[in-house]
Amino acid sequence: MTNAIFVHHSDSTRYQFGEQHPFSPIRMTLTIDLLKAAGALRDDQIASPSTTADQALLSLVHREDYISAVERLSLDKPTVEDTAAAGRYGLDTEDTPFFPGMHDAAAAIAAGSVHAAELVMSGAATHAYHMAGGLHHAFPDRGSGFCVYNDAAVAIQYIRQHYGARVLYIDTDVHHGDGVQWSFYNEPEVCTYSIHETGKFLFPGTGFVHERGADAGFGACFNVPMEPYTEDDSWLESFRSSITKIAEVFKPDIIVSQHGCDAHAYDPLSHIHCSMRIYQEMPVIIHELAHKHSEGRWVALGGGGYDWWRVVPRAWSLVWLTMSEHPIVQKLNNGEDVPLPETWLDKWSGASPTPLPDCWLDDRSQVLPIPRRAEIEVKNRLTTAIAVQDL
């Protein structure tokens, strides 16, 4: 049995809202190139789905009228009537505008996440990583927050339908994983967990501790909203203490995790002040939980992250390095300062608008401390305690 498989569908790079939009497929190109330059990703470790997600698969989560609207708006020249109806489906906003080929690209991403889930649940792999996935804001009837189809929710529903497995969904994006949460808000066999910047100040404005599920799903939904300008120690303390307790109680058959990397201090779309350290340690914690509670079964997805050059390639690479138990992670865990591959730096430094980091982890002296650190830590500790108080 292969331990870890890297899932990539070439059509997923067509998922692009425009050159000026913060959600850019260059993030995937940079990350894959970094992994290959580091000798951490071989061709025989990469799997590609043979097809895109069809309507039957997408309908596990999305309404048929929404899927049909996405298909029509994906044409090179949608009709006036379809264009006028785009707003009804959340596809006329600055964040999530429709574009030619949108359906095929988004369906390819959904197919990749389902393929990763099937590889793990069938026993073909212990871990699977689909970096293009993690579009966690899409709803059954509309797009939202750069997300057209909710591949994470589709993959989870596929697992439920075909294997009846208990799924623990862990969302580490700085934005609340709202689309996945609401898709399973009444479902006791899917536990959704999201650690994010508080919705008091950041899109999508949800993800508070009182959102705990409904009906049979009450108590299977957890949110840990962090204060703006939270730093590494407080973020990691809240994450480790809460998710460890939740996994112990829920006892999942599989973990599906979303690895948006926009809680970094360099990210332009949030107010969290963390360094690369959290992206080193969070996958390690999830990896440990998977082997402790779900016989290693772990599917990881990508997500947000809008400092394309300095943050995303390193953060996303660290997920795969952890999954594949690469020596680089072992060195980082031992406190070593590991440099990035010179070939990657030479190739991309000229294109980057800012100087690229030369090591896998940040020079912490370059991330200025926050004067309100003690106050923020106290608030986060209280929030975390409330979030898991009923366990």
Side-chain angles (χ1 to χ4, degrees):
M1 179 172 63
T2 304
N3 180 50
I5 293 180
F6 188 100
V7 176
H8 181 64
H9 196 304
S10 59
D11 284 354
S12 63
T13 58
R14 297 168 56 198
Y15 191 84
Q16 184 173 11
F17 296 100
E19 291 186 6
Q20 303 304 314
H21 196 281
F23 196 102
S24 172
I26 196 173
R27 306 177 307 159
M28 288 188 284
T29 301
L30 290 165
T31 306
I32 292 173
D33 205 49
L34 176 56
L35 285 169
K36 289 185 173 180
L41 181 62
R42 306 184 310 270
D43 288 342
D44 64 353
Q45 294 174 298
I46 303 174
S48 178
S50 57
T51 61
T52 61
D54 58 17
Q55 186 172 49
L57 199 57
L58 295 171
S59 294
L60 292 176
V61 169
H62 294 288
R63 281 188 352 199
E64 291 186 9
D65 64 310
Y66 175 63
I67 299 168
S68 179
V70 172
E71 290 176 327
R72 294 194 304 273
L73 288 166
S74 298
L75 300 174
D76 288 338
K77 293 182 179 180
T79 67
V80 173
E81 292 79 5
D82 289 335
T83 301
R88 187 189 316 159
Y89 298 103
L91 298 173
D92 67 341
T93 65
E94 192 173 280
D95 282 354
T96 319
F98 63 88
F99 61 92
M102 171 177 63
H103 168 77
D104 288 343
I109 292 173
S113 294
V114 170
H115 189 61
E118 175 61 25
L119 286 169
V120 172
M121 292 307 303
S122 68
T126 309
H127 313 317
Y129 183 29
H130 182 224
M131 194 172 64
L135 306 183
H136 60 166
H137 292 308
F139 284 77
D141 60 345
R142 68 186 189 278
S144 177
F146 313 161
C147 305
V148 176
Y149 293 139
N150 195 319
D151 63 285
V154 171
I156 292 169
Q157 195 70 289
Y158 176 87
I159 292 169
R160 292 289 307 138
Q161 184 180 82
H162 289 266
Y163 292 96
R166 288 168 63 82
V167 182
L168 172 58
Y169 173 74
I170 301 174
D171 194 312
T172 64
D173 197 289
V174 80
H175 302 91
H176 175 229
D178 57 341
V180 181
Q181 170 180 298
W182 301 122
S183 291
F184 300 101
Y185 207 58
N186 303 318
E187 173 55 67
E189 299 298 296
V190 177
C191 179
T192 61
Y193 169 94
S194 180
I195 183 169
H196 48 266
E197 181 180 338
T198 173
K200 289 186 292 185
F201 305 106
L202 192 68
F203 176 91
T206 54
F208 298 100
V209 292
H210 65 261
E211 296 166 25
R212 305 185 57 79
D215 300 327
F218 183 80
C221 173
F222 296 90
N223 287 290
V224 184
M226 298 281 92
E227 292 294 310
Y229 304 106
T230 293
E231 296 170 276
D232 291 346
D233 287 344
S234 184
W235 183 282
L236 287 168
E237 175 189 325
S238 292
F239 179 70
R240 183 185 289 276
S241 63
S242 57
I243 197 58
T244 300
K245 192 171 185 181
I246 290 164
E248 186 75 39
V249 173
F250 184 70
K251 294 180 171 50
D253 297 313
I254 181 173
I255 292 175
V256 176
S257 57
Q258 195 267 20
H259 295 267
C261 48
D262 36 9
H264 194 285
Y266 294 161
D267 196 275
L269 299 187
S270 75
H271 315 99
I272 298 297
H273 206 67
C274 291
S275 77
M276 196 57 59
R277 181 179 154 216
I278 71 168
Y279 299 112
Q280 172 205 354
E281 295 193 24
M282 285 193 294
V284 171
I285 293 169
I286 296 171
H287 194 202
E288 292 171 352
L289 293 175
H291 281 286
K292 182 176 181 180
H293 299 291
S294 56
E295 299 180 348
R297 287 184 287 268
W298 176 25
V299 171
L301 310 172
Y306 307 101
D307 190 305
W308 306 337
W309 301 90
R310 295 177 296 178
V311 176
V312 180
R314 292 185 295 163
W316 279 359
S317 291
L318 285 165
V319 178
W320 175 250
L321 295 174
T322 301
M323 270 195 163
S324 58
E325 299 180 352
H326 194 275
I328 288 174
V329 164
Q330 297 171 15
K331 291 178 181 179
L332 294 173
N333 291 344
N334 290 333
E336 295 184 40
D337 196 16
V338 184
L340 292 175
E342 287 290 341
T343 53
W344 186 81
L345 292 170
D346 291 343
K347 180 177 180 179
W348 294 107
S349 289
S352 175
T354 53
L356 293 176
D358 54 12
C359 289
W360 282 97
L361 300 184
D362 293 321
D363 176 355
R364 300 280 294 284
S365 68
Q366 299 302 307
V367 181
L368 298 177
I370 296 297
R372 294 175 51 248
R373 175 184 294 169
E375 178 185 342
I376 291 169
E377 288 178 346
V378 168
K379 288 183 177 180
N380 286 339
R381 201 167 287 138
L382 177 60
T383 296
T384 306
I386 294 171
V388 296
Q389 65 182 346
D390 294 333
L391 294 178

